[in-house]
Each structure stands twice: as structure tokens, then as C-alpha cells.
């Protein structure tokens, strides 16, 4: 099993290209199930989760073909020959459940294994299922599989989510495009990835109103058609490398990054003493006069994203003063705390909040990654630590970060992958 070795203490200097957003690419790939014509996606990131979704689509009979030699363009489409998403693939990634809505909308039936992925919380799919039921789907759960049927097609409805869910919003949005009549989605998620999905669906012929708000209105159409769509840059990768620049005291240009996608991350980094500014081709990031403690509470967009919580905690572990980091989205997302503590961080967890008291320096140590974002938080800590850090179980990292060690090494980090 691969490991990453880091010799800390080197400021990052240079340019890091931000890839396409993983959390936008996965639902966009699932949207290819809504038409038998070709959906062409550009700026596709080269990640393990993308390969998993491609494998899942192929088991359903849909072609997923690279265009060109760099793998950043995918053409998706064709006849659906199976409506079952099997356990062996779905267990690897929770986002696999995003094929449920498109499958039942297109074929009238879907059988999807209950999903797997990182062990950061229960993340139930109840909202997905209840929303599809409101569109007329019949749902049954048996032997670890969800079966949804709508023999006469889906029909529009008013759906009010009891709390914000990105995945449920995406699943319902895709399903509603082919439902008869009008669907209103209230308390919808507003993440940039939702807007990107809506833009792609619109290019395919969908009729969607209210994009960017918490109330989406979808007027169903009989069919969708071919389109070409560029995937937005990854705001979580952007925030992660911004933290990398700040924790090392360096200065980097994040090529292709969009300031308007960062929301509360930008405001919180600035409060902590990190300058984030628009520059030619992207965003420039550098630490100003030391790091200062700042608080963060995870919330739905435009609040502070749960996917940035672990990275921000690493940053605060070497900031002057104390910080409070509160997690409101996933109940098990402090699993990186014991590993950071092994490196000398002073962190005390009280329920859903963690008090982080900054220390002058972290110390390199062997640490264990527990999930995707925890993995990269340990890499960030290693970049700032004195001595050598070995991050074990980095297969999590490969699910969401493309060539992380190469990007950091190109900016001066002493980092390398050790093949397992």
C-alpha cells in the first residue's frame, strides 16, 4: 500500500494548477444516463473516484470514452442495457447513488446497492428515496439494494427537503428533468457544483429556473440531447492548496481557481492572516504577518464546507492563539485529530467542536489516513512539521487529489510517494 514521505519546513513557491471539481464531475457523469446521445465533459480530473464512476456507467451499458491523450475529456452516452448498480462498485464510493435518479427517470427502473465510501458518518440516503417517491417512484429496500420503479414515468411534484442535502438535490434535479410536468425543489442545496450540474442539464435541453437559489423549478421535457460542458475548477482543491501555502509560509498561484466559489473559506483564511487575491490566471495566496487563530463552523454553502474542516484544523494547529472548529455536517469527521496530536498538535474535542491551541511547530511522525480530507490534512501538517512525516493509507488521497505529491514537489516541497 502506497505511503507518502515528507520532509517538512520548506515554504511553497510557484504555481499549482487546479483541476476540475470531483464533486461536480461525478453527478455530471451520472447525467450522461439521461440521454442516449453523447455528453462530452471537459476539464475532467484524473482521480480514482472518476474511474469508479466510469466503471459503474459501463456496467450499465453506457460508453465512457476518453477523447484525446490526456484523459481530461470524456464522452459519455449510449443505450442503457442494465439498470442495476452492483455492490462491488458502489461500495467504493457513496456518490454512486447518483445514478439512481437518472436511471429511474430514463428507464423506469433502477436497482442500486446501498453506497459505501469514507467512514465519516452515516450519510443516509433517505432524502434521495423520499424525494423520488414524491415524483411517483415506488421504492423498496431488500438485501442491501434499493429498487426504484416508475413504469409509467415520473411526474412533477413539490418537494421540500427537511434539511439541505447536496446529493439529494442532485439526484432529484436530474430525475425531474425527464418527469412529466413541473417539479419544485425547496430548500435545495446551493453549492457551485449544483449550479454546474444545472448548467450542463440546461445545455442538454432541460428547463431549470432558480439556479443559485434554494428553490429550483424544473419543467420536465420528453428527452435530453447531446452537449459539451466544461467542469468547474475544484474549490476544495483550491482551499487545500491555499492552506498548504499558508501553513508553510509560502506564496503560490493557484491556476484556474475561482474566488467566487470559495465563499466562507476565503473570509476565514483572511481572518487567519492569509492573503487570497485574484491574479492573472487564478488566485494568489500568501501568508502575511503570521497566522492568527480563527473559528470555523461547517455549514451548507455558502458557509464553511465540511470538506475543508480537516485542512483548516491543520493550519490552525500552528497559528498563534486558539481556534474553535465546529463540525455540523458529519458526526465522525474528527478522526484526523489523534493523528495530528501525534505530531504535537494541541487539540481537545468536546462533542461536535474542537479547541485548537496553536503550537510553535509540529514534529514529523508516522500517521494513518482515515478518509479523503483527513489524508490531505496530514500532508499539510507534514509540510510544516520539523523532521520526517510518513502518511500511510494514501489510497484515500487518490480518490480526490490528482498527483498531489507532484504538484507540491514542483513548488519546492520535499515530498515523495513510496510505492507499497
Amino acid at each position: 500500500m502506497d505511503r507518502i514521505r515528507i520532509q517538512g519546513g520548506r515554504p511553497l513557491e510557484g504555481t499549482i494548477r487546479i483541476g476540475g471539481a470531483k464533486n461536480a464531475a461525478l453527478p455530471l457523469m451520472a447525467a450522461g444516463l439521461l440521454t442516449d446521445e453523447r455528453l462530452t465533459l471537459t476539464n475532467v480530473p484524473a482521480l480514482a473516484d472518476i474511474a469508479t464512476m466510469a466503471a459503474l456507467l459501463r456496467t450499465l451499458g453506457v460508453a465512457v470514452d476518453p477523447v484525446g491523450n490526456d484523459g481530461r475529456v470524456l464522452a459519455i452516452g449510449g443505450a442503457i442495457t442494465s439498470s442495476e448498480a452492483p455492490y462491488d462498485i458502489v461500495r467504493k464510493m457513496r456518490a454512486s447513488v447518483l445514478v439512481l435518479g437518472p436511471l429511474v427517470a430514463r428507464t423506469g427502473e433502477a436497482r442500486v446497492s446501498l453506497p459505501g465510501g469514507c467512514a465519516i458518518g452515516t450519510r443516509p440516503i433517505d432524502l434521495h428515496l423520499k424525494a423520488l417517491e414524491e415524483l411517483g417512484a415506488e421504492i423498496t429496500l431488500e438485501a442491501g439494494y434499493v429498487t426504484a420503479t416508475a413504469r409509467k414515468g415520473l411526474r412533477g411534484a413539490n418537494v421540500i427537503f427537511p434539511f439541505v442535502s447536496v446529493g439529494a438535490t442532485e439526484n432529484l434535479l436530474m430525475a425531474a428533468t425527464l418527469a412529466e410536468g413541473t417539479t419544485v425543489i425547496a430548500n435545495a442545496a446551493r453549492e457551485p457544483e449544483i449550479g454546474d450540474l444545472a448548467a450542463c442539464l440546461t445545455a442538454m435541453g432541460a428547463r431549470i429556473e432558480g439556479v443559485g437559489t434554494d428553490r429550483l423549478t424544473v419543467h420536465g421535457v420528453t428527452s435530453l440531447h447531446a452537449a459539451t460542458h466544461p467542469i468547474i475548477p475544484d474549490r476544495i482543491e483550491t482551499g487545500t492548496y491555499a492552506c498548504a501555502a499558508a501553513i508553510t509560509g509560502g506564496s503560490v498561484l493557484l491556476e484556474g481557481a475561482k474566488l467566487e466559489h470559495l465563499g466562507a473559506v476565503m473570509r476565514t483564511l483572511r481572518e487567519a492572516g492569509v492573503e487570497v487575491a485574484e491574479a492573472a490566471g487564478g488566485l494568489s495566496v500568501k501568508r502575511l504577518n503570521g497566522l492568527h487563530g480563527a473559528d470555523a463552523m461547517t455549514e451548507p454553502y455558502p458557509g464553511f464546507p465540511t470538506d475543508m474542516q480537516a485542512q483548516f484544523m491543520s493550519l490552525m494547529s500552528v497559528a498563534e492563539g486558539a481556534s474553535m472548529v465546529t463540525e455540523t455536517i458529519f458526526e465522525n469527521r474528527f478522526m484526523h485529530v489523534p493523528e495530528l496530536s501525534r505530531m504535537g498538535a494541541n487539540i481537545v474535542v468536546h462533542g461536535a467542536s474542537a479547541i485548537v491551541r496553536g503550537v510553535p511547530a509540529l514534529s514529523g511522525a508516522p500517521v494513518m489516513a482515515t478518509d479523503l480530507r483527513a489524508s490531505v490534512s496530514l500532508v499539510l501538517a507534514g509540510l510544516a512539521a520539523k523532521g520526517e512525516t510518513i502518511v500511510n493509507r494514501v489510497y484515500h488521497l487518490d480518490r480526490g487529489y490528482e498527483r498531489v505529491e507532484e504538484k507540491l514537489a514542483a513548488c519546492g516541497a520535499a515530498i515523495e510517494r513510496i510505492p507499497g
Side-chain angles (χ1 to χ4, degrees):
M1 194 174 295
D2 287 4
R3 298 174 292 162
I4 285 183
R5 178 164 53 204
I6 307 163
Q7 193 72 30
R10 297 190 182 187
L12 297 182
E13 302 285 344
T15 299
I16 297 175
R17 181 189 175 277
I18 301 301
K22 174 182 86 85
N23 290 339
L26 296 173
L28 288 168
M29 292 176 70
L33 293 168
L34 292 167
T35 177
D36 58 4
E37 298 183 22
R38 286 300 178 98
L39 171 62
T40 302
L41 300 175
T42 64
N43 198 30
V44 179
L47 302 170
D49 275 9
I50 300 299
T52 298
M53 182 60 85
L56 176 55
L57 294 179
R58 290 182 181 118
T59 67
L60 302 175
V62 174
V64 182
D65 298 323
V67 179
N69 297 321
D70 63 1
R72 298 199 181 279
V73 181
L74 288 179
I76 301 167
I80 295 173
T81 59
S82 170
S83 59
E84 179 170 319
Y87 168 76
D88 283 348
I89 295 179
V90 177
R91 68 180 175 83
K92 300 177 183 177
M93 183 182 67
R94 292 180 184 268
S96 301
V97 76
L98 292 173
V99 303
L100 183 62
L103 273 178
V104 72
R106 173 100 178 273
T107 69
E109 60 181 357
R111 187 170 186 264
V112 178
S113 171
L114 292 171
C118 289
I120 59 172
T122 54
R123 295 204 278 189
I125 63 168
D126 298 17
L127 287 188
H128 302 239
L129 306 185
K130 290 176 182 177
L132 289 173
E133 282 182 322
E134 294 197 49
L135 295 192
E138 296 181 7
I139 305 290
T140 58
L141 297 174
E142 185 178 4
Y145 278 79
V146 175
T147 300
T149 56
R151 301 298 184 190
K152 297 181 180 180
L154 299 174
R155 58 183 181 274
N158 292 333
V159 179
I160 303 174
F161 287 128
F163 56 88
V164 175
S165 168
V166 174
T169 300
E170 291 168 338
N171 234 333
L172 185 58
L173 179 61
M174 288 187 282
T177 62
L178 295 180
E180 181 181 351
T182 297
T183 299
V184 177
I185 308 172
N187 202 24
R190 295 183 287 161
E191 273 72 2
E193 294 81 10
I194 300 289
D196 202 34
L197 176 60
C200 178
L201 293 171
T202 299
M204 296 169 68
R207 298 171 58 203
I208 304 170
E209 300 169 0
V211 177
T213 75
D214 64 358
R215 184 181 178 87
L216 297 172
T217 301
V218 186
H219 304 286
V221 297
T222 56
S223 63
L224 298 180
H225 53 69
T228 297
H229 179 78
I231 299 172
I232 60 172
D234 196 317
R235 62 191 173 98
I236 304 302
E237 187 184 26
T238 298
T240 298
Y241 286 124
C243 286
I247 202 169
T248 64
S251 175
V252 299
L253 173 68
L254 302 179
E255 184 181 4
K258 300 291 186 182
L259 189 64
E260 63 266 27
H261 292 167
L262 291 183
V265 171
M266 175 194 66
R267 296 190 296 274
T268 307
L269 286 176
R270 287 174 174 171
E271 183 182 345
V274 183
E275 180 184 87
V276 182
E278 291 183 300
L283 298 177
S284 66
V285 182
K286 64 181 178 181
R287 195 163 80 192
L288 297 175
N289 299 315
L291 289 171
H292 316 293
D295 298 338
M297 176 184 290
T298 63
E299 295 176 308
Y301 188 86
F304 196 93
T306 182
D307 280 353
M308 278 298 303
Q309 179 257 106
Q311 301 92 304
F312 183 71
M313 192 179 290
S314 291
L315 182 63
M316 291 297 94
S317 69
V318 294
E320 181 180 346
S323 310
M324 177 178 285
V325 179
T326 302
E327 175 60 58
T328 70
I329 309 297
F330 296 129
E331 67 272 21
N332 294 338
R333 213 162 199 178
F334 283 151
M335 291 189 291
H336 49 283
V337 170
E339 302 304 301
L340 289 174
S341 297
R342 283 175 50 79
M343 301 178 70
N346 184 352
I347 305 171
V348 179
V349 176
H350 296 280
S353 294
I355 304 297
V356 186
R357 295 178 175 88
V359 298
L362 298 174
S363 300
V367 290
M368 187 76 68
T370 54
D371 61 72
L372 170 54
R373 306 305 173 183
S375 301
V376 82
S377 76
L378 299 176
V379 171
L380 297 185
L383 293 174
K386 293 181 178 179
E388 182 180 272
T389 297
I390 302 289
V391 182
N392 295 282
R393 293 177 63 183
V394 297
Y395 64 86
H396 289 293
L397 195 67
D398 296 331
R399 290 185 46 231
Y401 291 92
E402 180 181 352
R403 300 182 295 105
V404 63
E405 69 277 9
E406 295 178 31
K407 290 186 176 184
L408 291 170
C411 290
I415 180 172
E416 63 177 341
R417 181 178 292 253
I418 305 171

